[in-house]
Amino acid sequence: MAPHDLRRPFKRAAISDQQRRRELALQRQAQQRADSHARARALASSLLALQSQPQPEPEFKQEVEMEPPPAVVSSVLEASKLKGSEARRWFARQLMLPEWMIDVPPHLDRDWYVFPRPAGKRCFVVSSNGTTVSRLRNGSVLHYFPSALPNGARIKGVSGPASAYCILDCIFHESDQTYYVIDMVSWRGYSLYDCTTEFRFFWLNSKLSETGACNPPSTYHRYRFSIVPIYDCDQMGLHAAYAGSVPFGRDGLLFYNKHAHYQTGSTPLAVVWKDEHCSQYFLDTDNKGEIPAQQQVVLELQDDGKLTTSDDPPVVFGSLDGEFVQKSGLHSGNFLRFAIKDGGAQVVDGKLEMCDIQYMGKANRARAFADGYSKVFFQYTARHSPLRIDDLVASIQPHLHEDEKTTDVEMTD
Amino acid sequence: MAMEITQVLLSAQSPDGKIRSSAEEVLKQLQEQNLPCFLLSLSAELSNDQKPPESRRLAGIILKNSLDAKDSAKKEELSQRWVNIEPSVKAQIKESLLKTLGSSVGEARHTSSQVIAKIASIEIPRMEWLEVIAQLLSNMSQQGPPALKQATLETLGYVCEEISPQDLEQDQVNAILTAVAHGMTQTSQNSEVRLAAVRALYNALDFAQTNFENEMERNFIMKVVCETAVSNELEIRKAAFECLVSISSMYYEVLEPYMETLFTLTANAVKADEEPVALQAIEFWSSICDEEIQIQEEYDGAETASSGSLHSHFVEKALLLLVPMLLETLLKQEEDQDQDDETWNLSMAGGTCLGLVAKTVGDAIVPLVMPFVEGNITKSDWHCREAATFAFGSILEGPSVEKLAPLVHAGLEFLLNAMKDQNCHVKDTTAWTLGRIFEVLHSPPVTHSVITAASFPRIMSVLLESIKDAPNVSLKVCGAIYFLAHGYEDAGPESSILTPFLGEVISALLLTADRSDTGNSRLRASAYETLNEIVRSSRIPETANILCQLLQEIMKRLGQTMEIQVFSSDDREKQGDLQALLCGVLQVLVQKLSACDETRFIIQQAADGMMVLFLKVFACRSSTVHEEAMLAIGALAYATGPEFAKYMPEFYKYLDMGLQNFEEYQVCSISVGVVGDICRALDDKILPFCDGIMTHLLKDLSNSMLHRSVKPPIFSCFGDIALAIGEHFEKYLPYAMPMLQGASELCSRLETADEDMIDYGNQLRHGIFEAYSGILQGFKSSKAELMMPYGGHLLQFIEAVFRDKNRDEGVTKAAVAVMGDLADTLGPNTKILFKDCTFHIDFLGECFQSDNDQLKETATWTQGMLGRVVS
């Protein structure tokens, strides 16, 4: 055997640019292949979100009559290209809507998070294709703006693949012009709909700040984003959420079940609670911002004249006779405002029943939903025997055996 | 049976072409008509001392070529022919050959020993002719002539070289080693015998595993080799050191007791022996370094400390003596060593070894080398200045940045000045050292670089001046600029530091590429390749104008290559090489400018012109496709998107050619990648070309001649096509699916002891998963049910991969993703599948534990998809 060649590479720069070009080309191809797969997959997750909605949605009938049926929107990306009322209809269905707390959920300290709800406009923020759009609960656009969210602005090097869109559930807080992120629905093209709250909040906390979205505003980042402090709902956590100092105006507390997925529409696994101490909006206000003497509710008029809440299935709170409907020019699907006369409602077997409500007129055109049952109930008890913070605290007495908790609540009453 | 063929053999070597070719024709006929008889006649000719040496020589050569060939298919065919020959004929041939070992004619002995080894290589692995070892060894025991012993030892060496250790029994190995050692030690033996014995030992070392495990036998072998390493004859000493080099890598873990002796031996050789021996002695230490570096890498890569091999730290222990010995060699440069690629002398070997020592021991080498550097770098003798610089450049890889950075800071200005040294070697080594500094201490990210915004302009101006120096210096300067630029790749705003110099650097590199004062083509290649790095590192869009001008210039140059006069295949090759470099620059420019929204239009506007050029480049060759042009087209397809459709009719024939080029597998591989690019650019507009493409891809997969590395990308490419054409993939399904299933079965049978095979297995799995992903997602909206029959098999395959301990992270991600795709596309139909096998829960669990965010995200998505069907 010829002994191996003694010569080793000598003073040679390690340039093999040809190999490097091959490798870079392969990297580019692999990245682009991954992008195409991600696009194909993203299509899936958002379709899923659409299909999980009961269809057709009733709340837009008012406008829908003259318009074609909702286009089949196959992805958030495409949805973000929708214009006008189509976009509004689509996005109006995408938010998870907490019910109002009418009784204290069991195992609050074990299974729930609590956090202060910033006062402001609840909205959906979507970053994609180099721009960011925020849409209110009814689907209408609040802002178009550049942001540091992935693909949220047209900046060189930063804009990722087109599929890297993000969807955040936010509250826009007017006075400090900040979007407070209360949930993360989709991040870099990956859907978090099917993830537990625990995971989504973990993801939210670890991902958002990485992007620079929490930095002060700049040319390519018009609004600051911020994270709300989230606590385990034990006594400390509840106290911190209720009374701790926060940089925003507080509008009640939100309670999220740790194991729940992000569910579009109204859900009992996320609940909102308020009292006059932690919210200026403890009692509903009217158009003029004043608290009316009588509780008012917005209900939806059905074909048969029944007046229902926005729940699924809807709760019937009364009915209008056909003649009145015709005379007043009302149509099924209209949202109508009613006042509850004194003594016009009562709680029977833990359920709220209406007996005397007075028609006041059509609700604001921007309305996308009737009131939910839990809201009506909450507002009702708020005026009569509110669920107080002490009740919540009492439900999470420490060091007590689980079984004893419920009795404990009764005892402190 | 043997024929008289002496005259034909002599005629076949006649200077008269006519006689020669008719004799060759006769020989060919004899071979075809009756091979056994022909071989027998050849062996008779070779063994007959009465015949002229010329006819015997040719007989030997023909005999050898009838048994062995370089091409493995041909070799197999020849072996088979030999095996089929009548045993009695074979016996006669072997007997003649063995007899020839005792011939008085050296050349006949030599040829015969080669032929014996060839026959042994066919027969011994088949458990035939095992007695040949004994027959050969019997030549050694008798008081035969030295010539017979020499030829016998040579034959034993060749036999060992041809067969592998498991082909021999241990007692045969023992007997061979004994005979060899005997041949080496008997001082009474003549030097020819002893040389043949050392060389035979070199080939037999591989067989001596068991003997090296036994302390007594090992001691004996080592003693014999060490004694031989100081014998009187140069060739024997050199051969003995070759054995030591080989032992150092084969039996590193048992060398401890001998290291003191070995150090003394090698140190003496380096200091005082003749160059061929000294070079081997240095190589011994380089080889020890290789071993220790590899062990350290294993340690670093291993999860637990126990899994690495034994590390004896020989280099560390010998450091105090080893380093001065190597530094001494650096002063023995030759005048023109930088011009010649063939030179390998003491200073080159010593410097290279010093670099390996630095890699092995890290920081510890620095204080041992710096006094030498400081003491010599200002001396008037250029040898000293060059050696000092070379020493410094050699130790830059290994020690920590913390250790090196202060030294580099202190010495950088000196080195920059040394680029004006009056000696060319000093400048060459200085430029090389600067390149090393940039490579090691200025790599991305630049935050810890030794280069500051303040020193950058000075460095740049020195390099731009020195690139005009002698070609060998200029070449090293290109390397320095390459690594200087590389530090700013992906550096964001930092890379703007290059912007003011960009125009000047680009023109300097273009001028360098045009230099005619060197016959060496490496300078031109380096200049263009450095240009590539400059493009990659420049900041866009601020440099868009300059890059756009460069694009025009390179296109112009590529156009000019078509006018090169081509008279010979050599000219054709030169033209092709230049086109490769220029296409390379275009590819880099296309990729750079199309990655940014604001500059993509530059590529889109130039696309037509570039495409015309690439097609012309293709047309310069008749049978093969230009690899670099193909790569550039892939990048262009991405930049143009659906617009690329207009080039398809013209381009398709070359793509077709590339996909069929299984001999040059790189070309085939790149063509496969380009199909993927085009799929993503055209989507379903690629449909009219898919029949042809799929046909070639399927043929490539079935082709056993095609290099295996191309096959995984072909599977990924199936996925690309399926995703692009969606439901239209249906007609390829009956062909593609059996391929995928066959390949997944192959994965489970791959050798798992071999690291290369493990890598290959992972690539193959990755490709298979990407194919499934593409097909599943492609069918999702309309033909999902077509994949129903394959779900179970796919899931089984995923499970097998989950349980495979050699699975890498890329495969894991692809496997998890395809699980989601399966659930996504087939929906509730997969409920039963997933209910039946619950491994996916553990699999996803594993992914959520990972540190890799992308993997976690993929797993989250898959969990969501599974949640829909399972819950």
Side-chain angles (χ1 to χ4, degrees), chain A residues 11 20 22 33 41 156, chain B residues 429 533 598 627 821:
Chain A
K11 262 210 244 175
R20 190 126 187 270
R22 280 191 197 125
R33 176 178 295 127
R41 286 168 190 147
K156 272 84 323 186
Chain B
T429 303
E533 192 54 36
E598 287 169 51
E627 178 185 338
D821 294 328

Side-chain angles (χ1 to χ4, degrees), chain A residues 2-217:
Chain A
H4 70 280
D5 191 357
L6 269 183
R7 269 184 315 224
R8 288 169 178 257
F10 175 70
K11 262 210 244 175
R12 195 165 301 161
I15 313 180
S16 169
D17 201 70
Q18 190 190 25
Q19 191 50 33
R20 190 126 187 270
R21 282 198 298 280
R22 280 191 197 125
E23 281 162 11
L24 289 173
L26 285 176
Q27 272 175 27
R28 174 182 60 74
Q29 287 168 346
Q31 182 55 49
Q32 283 159 10
R33 176 178 295 127
D35 291 349
S36 329
H37 283 187
R39 255 196 304 282
R41 286 168 190 147
L43 239 76
S45 14
S46 42
L47 260 185
L48 164 72
L50 267 181
Q51 284 159 358
S52 67
Q53 281 300 117
Q55 288 184 349
E57 286 287 310
E59 64 263 31
F60 259 94
K61 290 256 171 72
Q62 188 180 352
E63 293 172 357
V64 169
E65 280 167 352
M66 287 84 78
E67 293 170 18
V72 178
V73 179
S74 49
S75 75
V76 172
L77 271 189
E78 287 179 39
S80 65
K81 289 177 205 147
L82 290 179
K83 297 279 186 283
S85 60
E86 281 199 328
R88 287 206 299 281
R89 255 178 296 153
W90 196 84
F91 280 98
R93 289 185 222 119
Q94 300 305 312
L95 279 172
M96 176 160 83
L97 305 171
E99 288 192 358
W100 290 64
M101 188 185 286
I102 44 187
D103 50 20
V104 182
H107 309 308
L108 208 50
D109 55 340
R110 194 182 68 195
D111 292 338
W112 295 74
Y113 291 118
V114 63
F115 55 94
R117 183 195 187 282
K121 294 171 178 142
R122 178 84 184 285
C123 54
F124 226 26
V125 175
V126 178
S127 70
S128 71
N129 285 326
T131 185
T132 309
V133 184
S134 58
R135 287 175 182 274
L136 297 174
R137 215 186 114 168
N138 63 12
S140 63
V141 171
L142 177 62
H143 299 126
Y144 278 108
F145 61 105
S147 77
L149 293 173
N151 237 331
R154 286 191 191 281
I155 322 172
K156 272 84 323 186
V158 176
S159 58
S163 61
Y165 62 89
C166 296
I167 309 175
L168 302 174
D169 185 342
C170 301
I171 291 169
F172 183 68
H173 189 256
E174 197 72 43
S175 64
D176 64 357
Q177 295 283 296
T178 298
Y179 280 94
Y180 286 93
V181 184
I182 59 168
D183 211 332
M184 183 176 265
V185 182
S186 207
W187 187 252
R188 291 194 194 275
Y190 282 91
S191 164
L192 297 166
Y193 280 100
D194 291 296
C195 301
T196 60
T197 308
E198 204 167 7
F199 186 81
R200 295 197 312 277
F201 283 180
F202 160 72
W203 216 242
L204 167 61
N205 270 299
S206 50
K207 293 293 164 190
L208 188 68
S209 55
E210 284 174 10
T211 58
C214 300
N215 296 343

Side-chain angles (χ1 to χ4, degrees), chain B residues 698-726:
Chain B
L698 289 163
K699 274 191 193 157
D700 284 339
L701 279 178
S702 320
N703 189 334
S704 62
M705 307 284 278
L706 179 63
H707 194 275
R708 67 175 193 216
S709 68
V710 188
K711 298 191 176 177
I714 292 180
F715 286 119
S716 305
C717 189
F718 282 176
D720 297 338
I721 294 172
L723 202 54
I725 64 174

Side-chain angles (χ1 to χ4, degrees), chain B residues 395-573:
Chain B
I395 61 163
L396 288 171
E397 206 183 334
S400 61
V401 173
E402 294 74 30
K403 192 88 182 169
L404 292 173
L407 299 174
V408 169
H409 273 299
L412 190 60
E413 187 53 32
F414 187 94
L415 288 171
L416 292 172
N417 284 325
M419 288 309 298
K420 294 201 201 78
D421 198 288
Q422 67 272 52
N423 182 278
C424 195
H425 296 285
V426 177
K427 287 189 284 189
D428 183 292
T429 303
T430 304
W432 170 78
T433 301
L434 286 170
R436 297 262 297 171
I437 288 173
F438 303 152
E439 183 183 358
V440 179
L441 298 162
H442 171 62
S443 53
V446 284
T447 35
H448 302 295
S449 169
V450 292
I451 296 173
T452 61
S455 59
F456 185 84
R458 161 91 173 122
I459 294 169
M460 217 39 186
S461 78
V462 168
L463 294 176
L464 286 172
E465 188 55 38
S466 298
I467 199 170
K468 300 177 209 149
D469 211 314
N472 60 309
V473 178
S474 181
L475 181 72
K476 307 296 190 300
V477 173
C478 284
I481 296 176
Y482 186 101
F483 288 110
L484 184 63
H486 183 66
Y488 299 106
E489 219 179 292
D490 307 321
E494 301 262 355
S495 62
S496 285
I497 199 169
L498 283 167
T499 306
F501 299 91
L502 202 61
E504 223 182 322
V505 175
I506 289 175
S507 11
L509 288 168
L510 288 173
L511 280 173
T512 306
D514 288 339
R515 276 170 78 145
S516 54
D517 57 346
T518 170
N520 192 332
S521 61
R522 252 169 53 202
L523 181 58
R524 183 160 77 183
S526 289
Y528 280 122
E529 299 196 326
T530 302
L531 197 55
N532 291 341
E533 192 54 36
I534 289 284
V535 172
R536 287 193 202 102
S537 308
S538 62
R539 182 150 165 84
I540 49 171
E542 66 188 38
T543 58
N545 277 340
I546 293 182
L547 295 185
C548 184
Q549 283 170 31
L550 177 62
L551 179 71
Q552 299 305 327
E553 172 66 22
I554 300 293
M555 284 172 68
K556 191 183 99 197
R557 289 179 176 221
L558 186 55
Q560 287 163 351
T561 64
M562 316 296 170
E563 274 111 58
I564 294 175
Q565 300 278 346
V566 174
F567 299 109
S568 63
S569 61
D570 200 37
D571 293 342
R572 171 76 65 214
E573 200 186 320

